[in-house]
Every structure is written in C-alpha cells, then in structure tokens.
Amino acid sequence: MSTLAMPAPNGAILDRRDEIAAALRAIVPGEGVVSSPEEMRPFETDGLTAYRQLPLVVVLPETVEQVAEILKFCDEHAIPVVPRGSGTSLSGGALPLEDGVLLSMTRFNRVLDIDYPNRTATVQPGVTNLAITKAVAAEGFYYAPDPSSQIACSIGGNVAENSGGVHCLKYGLTTNNLLGIEIVLMSGEIVRLGGKHLDSEGYDMLGLLTGSEGLLGVVTEVTVRILQAPETARAVLFGFPTSEAGGACVAAVIAAGIIPGGMEMMDRPAIHATEAYTKAGYPLDVEALLIVELDGPQGEVDFLIGEVETIARRCGASYVRVSQSEAERQLFWLGRKAAFPAVGRIAPDYLCMDGTIPRKQLPNVLARMREMSEKYGLEVANVFHAGDGNLHPLILYDGNKPGEFERAEAFGADILKLCVAVGGVLTGEHGVGIEKRDLMGEMFNEEDLKQQQRVKCAFDPQHLLNPGKVFPVLHRCAELGRLHVHKGQLPHPDLPRF
Amino acid sequence: MLDTPAPLVPRDTADLLDAIRTASDAETPLELYGHGTKRGIGHAVAARQSVELSALSGVIFYEPEEIVISVHAATPMAEIETLLAANRQELAFEPQDYGPLFGLPRGSGTIGGALAANLGGPRRIKAGAARDHVLGIAAVSGRGEMFKSGGRVVKNVTGYDLSKGLSGSWGTLAAFTELTFKVLPRAEFSSTLVVFGLDDAAGVELLCRAMSSPAEVSGVAHFPAATAASLPHIGDNTRACTLIRLEGFKTSVLYRAERLNALIGPGQDLVRLDEEASRDLWQAVRDAEPFADHVDPVWRISTAPMHGPAFVEALRAAVTFRHYYDWSGGLVWIEIPDAPADAGASAIRETLSLFGGHATLVRASGIDPSVRRFQPQPPSLAALSRRLKSAFDPLAILNPGRMG
Ligand SMILES: Cc1cc2nc3c(=O)[nH]c(=O)nc-3n(C[C@H](O)[C@H](O)[C@H](O)COP(=O)(O)OP(=O)(O)OC[C@H]3O[C@@H](n4cnc5c(N)ncnc54)[C@H](O)[C@@H]3O)c2cc1C
C-alpha cells in the first residue's frame, strides 16, 4: 500500500546477498548476523507500520570496532546501510532497504559511567531513554527529555531524531541535554565529539549530528547531562469552552513569565477517546483541555499554581482541578500519555502527524483542520505540546477500506503544508524520514536542500548511510560541489566603500 | 606596509550576496565582521579586503507572547537587550561582552557575532549557549549562495540543524543575514549567596553540590582571593569568594535561598546580595572583569566541573597565573602575566589532556601566530572539519585562517 518511492535496489548487490552475509559473519561472529526472512521479519518496519521492507541482511554488532569494520566494508563495496535503534520512529527513519544492510544497535545496551558530581551519564546507544533515568533515580536524578515512547526508544535513536517530550519547553530537547557522542563515519573512522565538558572547540558537529536521522554517522556512545529531580511537581486540569480560549490561556501563562514543566492540550475528540479508555476523570463538556504541570521547589510550585489558576479563570476556564496528591497528578497524565492507544481503540488505524506552528495560529489551524476532516471524510483527534506549538493530529482511518490510507496520507500532507504556510514546520520531533521527505520542498528551496546535502557529502560522499530518507532528490556529491561563476549577473555593481 | 582597501559595507542582503559572489569569482578572500568587538579573538584572517556587516541591522519581528525575535544579523546586542527588557524578557544565554577584555567600550557587539562566537555566560550551565537559543538562520555561503535553515518555532527537526552547525563557526562557513532566536522571561528577582574563604577544591565542591540540589541555581562561580578583589559590592575583600545565584519569582528565590543555606551548613562566613548587587556581580563574572583592560594573555578552558581545580593545581607546576571558575568549576578563566612565548599553550594543553576539554587563547596580543588560538583537534575530526568547511566555502573565501 506504500505510496512513496524508495531508491531502486541495486541488482548487483541483491545477487551478492550470501557473500555479503558471509563477510559480515566474519566481522560479527555467532548470532550477530540474521539473514533468513523469518528472522528478519521483526526488522521490516518501524513505528510507521504502513511501510514494510525486508532488508538484505541484519547485523547486530556489539563493539565499536565491529561497527567500524561493517561500515568500512559496506563503504568499499558501495552497500547502503540503515542504522536502527528500537524501531519506534514514526517517520520511517529506520525502514530497511531491499539492497541495504540493517545495522541494529540493540546489543549496545550497557550503562558505562555515571558521574554524579559532574552530573553526567555515559551509555551505549541501545540503552533506552527510561533506563537512563532508572539508572540514576536512586540518587534523585533523572534524564529530562521524555518522549512518550521512553520505555522502548533508544538514546541513540533519540540523538538521531533529536527527540523531545512533554517537558522540553522547560528542559529542552535531546540536543540541549547532550554533552558528547562517539560516532562511526561511513568510512569506518571513529570520531569523538564533546565529552563531559560544555561547548565545542571547533564547529558544532554535535549539534549537526543531533537530529541527522542516521544519515551522517552511527552513534556508538552517548554522554548526557542528568538533572536533580524537582523537589515537587503538581498538575492542574483546565477545561475551556473554545480552543481559542485554551490557546489564549497558554499565551497568557508564558506572557506572565511562567515556563511550566509541561503544558499539554487535547481537543474534544482526543478528550473523549482518552477518557473512555483511561477514566482519568476528564471533563467531557469542554472543547479544549489543558494540563499544566509546575515542577520545582515546593515554595515556587505552590505560588505558581495560584498564579496559573488566576490566569486560566481570566481566560474563561470552565473547569479547574488542581492535583491534590501524587496519585492524582499521575492520573491527570494517564489520559494524555495513553492518547495514542486510546485513539487506536476507536479506529482500526491512525496516522500520527507532527507539525509545529506559532502558538497564536492554534485556533486557526484547528478550524482549518476540521474543514479538511470533512473534505476527506476522516476523523482527526488532536493532542499537542501546547507550550511549544507542536501538534500531533491523529488521523483515523481503516486500512482495510480501499483508498482510505491514501486519503489519510493526503490529509496529513495538507495539515503539514498548512503548518508551514502559517509560519511553522513539517516536523517538531518525529523527523522527516520517508514520511515527510517529499514535502521538504514546502519548507526549503533547492538552494537550501543542496546546502544540507553538501553537509551530508562531508560525512558520507557516496550517500550510503540511510539513503532515501529526508531528501526528496539525491544529488551526487560531485555535482553538488561544482562551483558556479556568477559574473554578469551581479545585482549591485555599485557596492559602496567607506 | 601594503595599503589595505577600505572595508565594503553592504547596505542589504543583496549587496552582501554581491560582495561574496564577486570575491568567489575572483577567489579573493574576505574578512567578515560586525562591530569588530571580537576581532582580536582567533587568528588574523588572511584577507586584505574586509566586509563590515553593521548595516544589516534591524528587528524583523518581535512577538513577546510567542517568545521569539527575528532580526537582521548585525542588529546591535544592546538594541535587542533594551527591546526585550521593555517586555521583561531576555536572551537567556546571558551573552558575555568581550569588549572589556580588549579595552574596548562596553555594550557593543552584534547578534550575528554572538552566534558566530557561540556566546554563553554564567547561565550557560543551566540555560545553554547561543546555539541552544537560535531557532533559524538565513545566510550566504562562501559559494555565494543564499540558504536558510530552521524556522521560528522551538520544536523543529526538519532537515539538518545548520543553525547549530554554524554557531561558533566564527564566520568561516557563511555570513549570517537573518537570525531568529527564542527569548525567555527575565527573572523577577536575582539573589546571590557569597561564601567567603573556601579554597578552590572546597569552593568547587560546594558549587557542584549546589548544582546537584533541587534549588535550581543559575550561576555558580568561585574566585580565589587574587581575583575576588575585582568583584563589585563585597567591600574590601581579601578572601576567596564562592558565588551561587538564584533567579526567578521573589517568593521562590527566598524559599530556595533558605534551602541553600541549609545545604551550605552552619559556621560558614556568608552574605546574600540581592537585585542590582547580584546582577552586577554576575556581569563581572560574565565579562571576565578581573582581567579587563589588561593586555596579558587570557585563556578560557572548558572541562568537566570537578576537574577544574585539579587542572589548575596541576598547571601550577608549569606556569604562574591568575584564575577564577565559572560553570560550577567547568569554565576556568586564566590570565598569565609574564607569559612564556607561547602564552602558556603547551603547558595548558598538555595538562588539560589529562582531564579532557578544550582551551581557547582568547586574548593573545603580541603572541606568535603559530600558537594555536583554538584547541587543536585529533586528525580524523580535523579532517571532518576541513570537509565541512569545503561544504560551505570550498574556495576559502570567508575568514580564511581565523580558526587556525
Ligand atoms: C507510541 C510512540 C510515542 C512516541 N512519542 C514520542 C515523543 O513523545 N517524542 C518524540 O520525540 N518522539 C516520539 N516517538 C518517536 C520515536 O520514539 C523517537 O523518534 C525515538 O527517538 C526513536 O528511537 P528508536 O531507538 O526507536 O529509533 P529507531 O526508530 O530505530 O530509528 C530512528 C532513526 O534513528 C536512526 N538511528 C537509530 N539509532 C541510531 C544510532 N545508534 N546511530 C545513528 N542513527 C541511529 C535510524 O536510522 C532512524 O533514522 C514516539 C513513537 C511511538 C511509537
């Protein structure tokens, strides 16, 4: 059912499948190479399950030296490589290629070093996001970025996608919490970036690698900063009669100088779906539900809860409930955190979109989305990170009905185009992958995309690492490197000199 | 002496594009600068023609309720800070002013320079540096091509993050034309606890404990007696000073100050400075006030916080210097009077290799050009850096040699 074209597989590589598997077995002995279709089945898709493809062969290295040898071998033989963490990507970033080696990083699962005085944790990339927090929780610390997939997703995948979570308004995304990484380039070279110290001695390669979706290098070690857990956290539920009122409340909270730990919103369909599923006690007679969490020192949280409540009432909140206990706070979050499975219960399938918009556009975008919903004849439920304008429209469809998936994809594309048109972006945290690849032209012109690909050429001149992702058109590096002579087309021959 | 041509002063982006295209066609390198406050940092640029970008100035939009500002790249920092302050907002990365270190007037500099140098003051340790606050850029590459990256929203992973890739690139990859930054509410209240008389190890240990407490401290610095004397508002001081800053709503700050007092424990000699006094103190920390208006070499060393004092101790065997710590011990500012010919580079970098991190020779007037201003990189990383340079500026038109 896939509607996206991937690069045509190279027949010569497919013919050499057994030989390639044997070469990889020489590098990773034992169970480390998987090549039968049955055993490769679990790797055929990621969180974007509408797309499936068995890889050429799966390799599961255990050491950085093995990763280096695998990449060097593939580079020399021009074989594409797709890195994979836990396979929870929602944009198809880890979708295998028919003629590509799937490099699974799951065996890199050790916590290497925890340094409390310097507040850092160094782990292998296959360690899950939540496992980092678990490793430091006994001392009262945690790792701040908390994607909803945190029990499953790997920190290597987080680095590759620059993942965020409900707390990133206050605590930042992966990129703001990352101190160092070790990467292996496609050539097999091992490069260390950063460490336990701050900032780079040269170009900010760490910043470039974060969010590069497995296209620039394979992450083999990660050092993050850990934070002392806040003294306390309390949440408030606010219901609003209109999404405009909810949006205005979010703006007013920030205008008052308050940056909450989390500020999440749901629209009516999402409220109803999650309440039916979780019985979190959400009000059903409101158009928008806002969860505001304030965390920090007790004295501050108590004070700010009062402030936020006053603001919300002024903005017309028709429902206010402040958590009175830790259990109640957890209950408030239960519905929000279960939004995806809850929606999964009311429809056979759903597509999760991920645009970001300037916050003030929220009512406008929601209204336009309702129009589109009618046009396409498909329901949409919205959950969003309201504080930073990151929307997750969930488009409900039935994959068994002919044409519905294609309609859902078209609806999704229209939503993302709308996000860009109002000043936002295609993806806030899920990545471009294959899903938004062909929409890149909505945000960037040829010149922009070519400059991005030139960066790719500095890392992987043969385009072998995760090809077919992120960029709609792959230009050869030689072509990208060619210089234009501008003579005769100078717009201002009379540039002033002083 | 060769006569240097007068600087080009582009009036707008089209002019700048024109200047870089012309230079690219003729393969003549250019030195880029805004106000020139940081021209003394890094190596001399191997270009006779300079381009002064200061006319590319002005606010494009500022939406306080959306906590975002978009400006032309050479908009003065002072103008931006005044505008934000009027709305009780600020650039939270607390950009340092390098002017005083070079005997230049305080308060100049442009936002483009702030990003090109990836500035980050004392609050860096909590709130990040310029790289963490830039949301989007437009720039002209050394190829003479306009490109953009990022956007105006906080959450964005659409394509490579070139905004970060260009932060701290000192104008060697592209010339910024437009920049969009996230802004944040300015703290209602600022308060600093000053503990007197701790040695380096004890001071930094206290700072790290404060950072590891739930008190949400936003500034952590330690001054030994030799540099503490330059700090404002603490009278006739001859003792070491350990500074811990709290910012936020007043109720919250006072509450946290209590908690910090408990953490520091009884029997310590300390004072609390609020508001103006606290803000002045941190401006001095931020701008390396103890070394302002001198000429001796100054180094800025980034390492893991707890390694700061051990590094300093180890370095004593090799050179004589004055120093203080910011970033909980992880940023060591060092001034070397009577410096050896290499400004202490070999001693500093050899010692630092035992601890990890990087050392930048910030003030180096009269120091031999062969002394590397920026930390040398291992071969594979250096090669990658050269390839990245070529990706933006294959003919080395922009600030060639600046980063060594
Ligand atoms: C139910 C659900 C909820 C989610 N919620 C959130 C959320 O709240 N916030 C959010 O940001 N995301 C969310 N996601 C998306 C996803 O979990 C993240 O993108 C996550 O970071 C992916 O990690 P992974 O280990 O599963 O990576 P994978 O899916 O295996 O791979 C993702 C990408 O990273 C690359 N990659 C993986 N490991 C490496 C490595 N070691 N080196 C180089 N490249 C690598 C892959 O090539 C691929 O391009 C959610 C997903 C699901 C299914």
Side-chain angles (χ1 to χ4, degrees):
Chain A
M1 64 155 107
S2 82
T3 56
L4 275 161
M6 294 306 284
N10 178 339
I13 296 178
L14 297 180
D15 291 345
R16 288 171 51 213
R17 206 174 88 90
D18 293 343
E19 186 191 319
I20 291 166
L24 293 175
R25 280 202 180 88
I27 300 171
V28 186
E31 313 269 276
V33 176
V34 172
S35 57
S36 75
E38 307 76 64
E39 287 176 301
M40 294 201 297
R41 194 66 65 196
F43 300 94
E44 71 176 353
T45 186
D46 58 16
L48 186 67
T49 50
Y51 291 85
R52 287 169 197 274
Q53 170 65 57
L54 280 181
L56 185 73
V57 45
V58 178
V59 57
L60 301 105
E62 265 177 316
T63 67
V64 60
E65 290 75 20
Q66 287 173 350
V67 174
E69 277 192 68
I70 293 165
L71 293 185
K72 189 161 180 282
F73 168 80
C74 291
D75 200 37
E76 281 168 7
H77 295 84
I79 305 164
V81 175
V82 177
R84 179 185 170 104
S86 304
T88 66
S89 166
L90 290 169
S91 56
L95 181 76
L97 295 169
E98 192 182 347
D99 62 347
V101 170
L102 188 87
L103 183 71
S104 167
M105 298 302 287
T106 46
R107 286 173 155 196
F108 278 77
N109 57 6
R110 284 186 302 130
V111 174
L112 301 174
D113 172 54
I114 291 171
D115 182 344
Y116 292 112
N118 288 314
R119 301 178 305 123
T120 65
T122 300
V123 302
Q124 291 189 318
V127 169
T128 63
N129 172 295
L130 189 61
I132 302 182
T133 289
K134 284 198 169 147
V136 298
E139 296 286 327
F141 284 79
Y142 76 116
Y143 173 59
D146 56 344
S148 313
S149 51
Q150 68 181 153
I151 16 170
C153 65
S154 72
I155 188 71
N158 290 178
V159 172
E161 300 283 17
N162 188 20
S163 301
V166 296
H167 287 101
C168 46
L169 181 64
K170 183 168 176 189
Y171 297 102
L173 301 147
T174 305
T175 192
N176 312 109
N177 289 279
L178 190 64
L179 292 169
I181 54 178
E182 178 188 70
I183 54 168
V184 184
L185 303 182
M186 194 62 212
S187 62
E189 273 174 291
I190 301 169
V191 179
R192 294 192 78 90
L193 305 172
K196 289 184 181 181
H197 56 274
L198 292 172
D199 291 335
S200 170
E201 72 291 338
Y203 297 138
D204 191 349
M205 300 281 183
L206 193 59
L208 266 183
L209 254 296
T210 313
S212 64
E213 305 198 23
L215 269 73
L216 297 183
V218 174
V219 179
T220 49
E221 192 188 291
V222 181
T223 301
V224 295
R225 106 182 144 152
I226 50 173
L227 297 179
Q228 175 65 219
E231 210 170 88
T232 189
R234 286 176 76 189
V236 202
L237 285 183
F238 297 114
F240 294 93
T242 62
S243 61
E244 281 82 356
C249 178
V250 172
V253 168
I254 289 173
I258 302 168
I259 302 290
M263 190 147 53
E264 296 289 306
M265 207 158 141
M266 293 192 257
D267 70 357
R268 177 183 274 270
I271 301 166
H272 283 252
T274 53
E275 180 57 22
Y277 182 55
T278 62
K279 306 274 179 292
Y282 293 164
L284 295 173
D285 56 347
V286 297
E287 283 301 315
L289 182 74
L290 189 64
I291 309 176
V292 181
E293 175 156 295
L294 293 149
D295 64 358
Q298 185 82 52
E300 173 169 320
V301 170
D302 293 346
F303 167 71
L304 289 182
I305 287 272
E307 297 287 295
V308 168
E309 199 179 322
T310 309
I311 293 169
R313 288 191 193 280
R314 215 172 46 224
C315 292
S318 54
Y319 177 92
V320 177
R321 199 166 124 210
V322 182
S323 73
Q324 300 301 331
S325 65
E326 178 57 19
E328 192 173 14
R329 183 185 78 88
Q330 300 279 3
L331 187 66
F332 287 3
W333 279 112
L334 186 66
R336 167 63 186 88
K337 291 203 167 167
F340 291 9
V343 165
R345 289 226 317 187
I346 59 169
D349 299 288
Y350 67 89
L351 272 183
C352 172
M353 310 311 292
D354 170 48
T356 308
I357 55 168
R359 267 188 317 270
K360 65 177 176 196
Q361 293 287 350
L362 196 64
N364 170 29
V365 167
L366 286 180
R368 300 274 295 277
M369 233 189 265
R370 275 192 296 270
E371 289 165 23
M372 290 180 199
S373 164
E374 276 180 27
K375 177 181 147 200
Y376 284 100
L378 295 172
E379 293 281 331
V380 60
N382 266 290
V383 294
F384 28 76
H385 306 302
D388 38 33
N390 187 195
L391 308 177
H392 291 319
L394 302 168
I395 301 173
L396 315 187
Y397 71 98
D398 182 349
N400 289 324
K401 292 197 183 145
E404 271 212 359
F405 172 67
E406 287 73 13
R407 262 202 346 265
E409 272 200 323
F411 183 2
D414 276 358
I415 293 176
L416 296 184
K417 286 179 194 168
L418 173 63
C419 289
V420 175
V422 301
V425 300
L426 293 174
T427 170
E429 57 181 14
H430 295 169
V432 176
I434 53 165
E435 191 206 15
K436 286 149 241 150
R437 187 191 67 190
D438 295 350
L439 293 172
M440 286 289 271
E442 295 290 322
M443 237 180 101
F444 298 115
N445 62 29
E446 264 301 286
E447 220 77 314
D448 304 334
L449 290 173
K450 281 186 172 169
Q451 190 50 56
Q452 295 201 24
Q453 289 194 38
R454 288 190 192 102
V455 170
K456 164 77 167 169
C457 295
F459 286 81
D460 172 25
Q462 296 192 79
H463 284 313
L464 290 173
L465 208 49
N466 220 1
K469 317 290 170 71
V470 182
F471 297 109
V473 183
L474 282 184
H475 298 280
R476 299 174 71 86
C477 289
E479 177 203 328
L480 288 166
R482 222 169 283 144
L483 273 161
H484 295 283
V485 175
H486 308 281
K487 281 198 182 69
Q489 46 163 51
L490 303 180
H492 287 241
D494 56 331
L495 191 58
R497 289 169 185 268
F498 295 97
Chain B
M1 222 177 107
L2 281 172
D3 58 322
T4 6
L8 296 170
V9 187
R11 292 161 301 193
D12 53 23
T13 304
D15 275 356
L16 175 65
L17 192 59
D18 180 13
I20 295 180
R21 285 183 171 174
T22 309
S24 160
D25 284 356
E27 299 194 29
T28 45
L30 299 173
E31 178 181 5
L32 305 176
Y33 65 91
H35 287 170
T37 53
K38 294 177 272 296
R39 262 175 123 182
I41 304 177
H43 295 265
V45 171
R48 285 181 60 235
Q49 179 65 59
S50 58
V51 183
E52 188 193 307
L53 300 164
S54 59
L56 304 180
S57 172
V59 174
I60 301 166
F61 63 82
Y62 168 39
E63 296 176 9
E65 69 289 354
E66 297 271 327
I67 46 175
V68 60
I69 188 167
S70 187
V71 294
H72 292 286
T75 306
M77 286 303 273
E79 182 182 332
I80 294 172
E81 282 170 355
T82 307
L83 178 65
L84 297 179
N87 286 283
R88 292 183 295 128
Q89 294 187 333
E90 64 185 354
L91 293 168
F93 55 97
E94 210 176 3
Q96 66 267 41
D97 180 356
Y98 273 119
L101 264 191
F102 292 91
L104 296 169
R106 285 156 169 79
S108 82
T110 67
I111 184 96
L115 186 64
N118 187 31
L119 297 185
R123 212 182 286 120
R124 166 74 182 92
I125 191 152
K126 178 160 187 270
R131 74 183 290 277
D132 296 287
H133 295 256
V134 63
L135 299 178
I137 56 150
V140 181
S141 71
R143 308 171 55 92
E145 292 169 3
M146 285 286 306
F147 65 95
K148 61 183 181 306
S149 172
R152 52 161 294 177
V153 292
V154 192
K155 286 261 282 291
N156 177 12
V157 293
T158 323
Y160 298 138
D161 196 348
L162 300 187
S163 316
K164 285 203 179 50
L166 294 183
S167 66
S169 66
W170 294 90
T172 61
L173 299 179
F176 298 127
T177 57
E178 292 176 9
L179 300 173
T180 304
F181 274 87
K182 148 173 110 175
V183 298
L184 282 171
R186 190 181 144 96
E188 175 189 284
F189 194 77
S190 173
S191 180
T192 301
L193 291 177
V194 185
V195 183
F196 294 98
L198 300 181
D199 65 21
D200 284 16
V204 167
E205 196 266 336
L206 175 61
L207 298 180
C208 288
R209 272 201 293 133
M211 281 305 292
S212 294
S213 80
E216 298 197 352
V217 303
S218 67
V220 259
H222 175 81
F223 286 69
T227 43
S230 312
L231 291 172
H233 301 296
I234 42 181
D236 239 357
N237 179 53
T238 53
R239 288 174 300 164
C241 291
T242 308
L243 319 180
I244 305 175
R245 175 174 64 181
L246 299 168
E247 292 173 300
F249 292 98
K250 188 170 179 186
T251 16
S252 163
V253 169
L254 298 180
Y255 171 88
R256 286 180 281 149
E258 290 283 302
R259 308 299 305 256
L260 264 186
N261 263 323
L263 177 120
I264 293 166
Q268 296 286 1
D269 189 1
L270 61 88
V271 295
R272 199 184 89 203
L273 298 176
D274 291 338
E275 289 296 76
E276 272 314 292
S278 172
R279 295 187 206 271
D280 289 349
L281 259 183
W282 289 96
Q283 182 166 336
V285 178
R286 186 191 77 182
D287 299 342
E289 204 57 58
F291 311 144
D293 304 311
H294 303 174
V295 291
D296 296 323
V298 167
W299 289 85
R300 199 167 175 267
I301 292 140
S302 177
T303 187
M306 289 293 281
H307 289 157
F311 161 77
V312 162
E313 200 45 51
L315 186 64
R316 274 190 216 288
V319 269
T320 310
F321 53 89
R322 305 195 314 138
H323 70 286
Y324 71 92
Y325 308 86
D326 195 357
W327 299 354
S328 192
L331 180 67
V332 191
W333 286 93
I334 284 185
E335 183 186 51
I336 311 190
D338 309 314
D342 75 344
S346 53
I348 286 175
R349 292 203 170 116
E350 258 166 50
T351 311
L352 188 62
S353 69
L354 305 173
F355 301 95
H358 51 88
T360 309
L361 177 53
V362 176
R363 188 170 67 199
S365 31
I367 302 297
D368 192 287
S370 67
V371 176
R372 299 286 297 271
R373 271 49 172 174
F374 295 94
Q375 177 82 23
Q377 297 183 320
S380 56
L381 182 53
L384 187 58
S385 298
R386 281 194 298 277
R387 295 200 298 275
L388 191 69
K389 165 83 174 166
S390 292
F392 287 90
D393 182 23
L395 299 171
I397 299 294
L398 305 180
N399 282 356
R402 178 88 191 254
M403 295 181 78

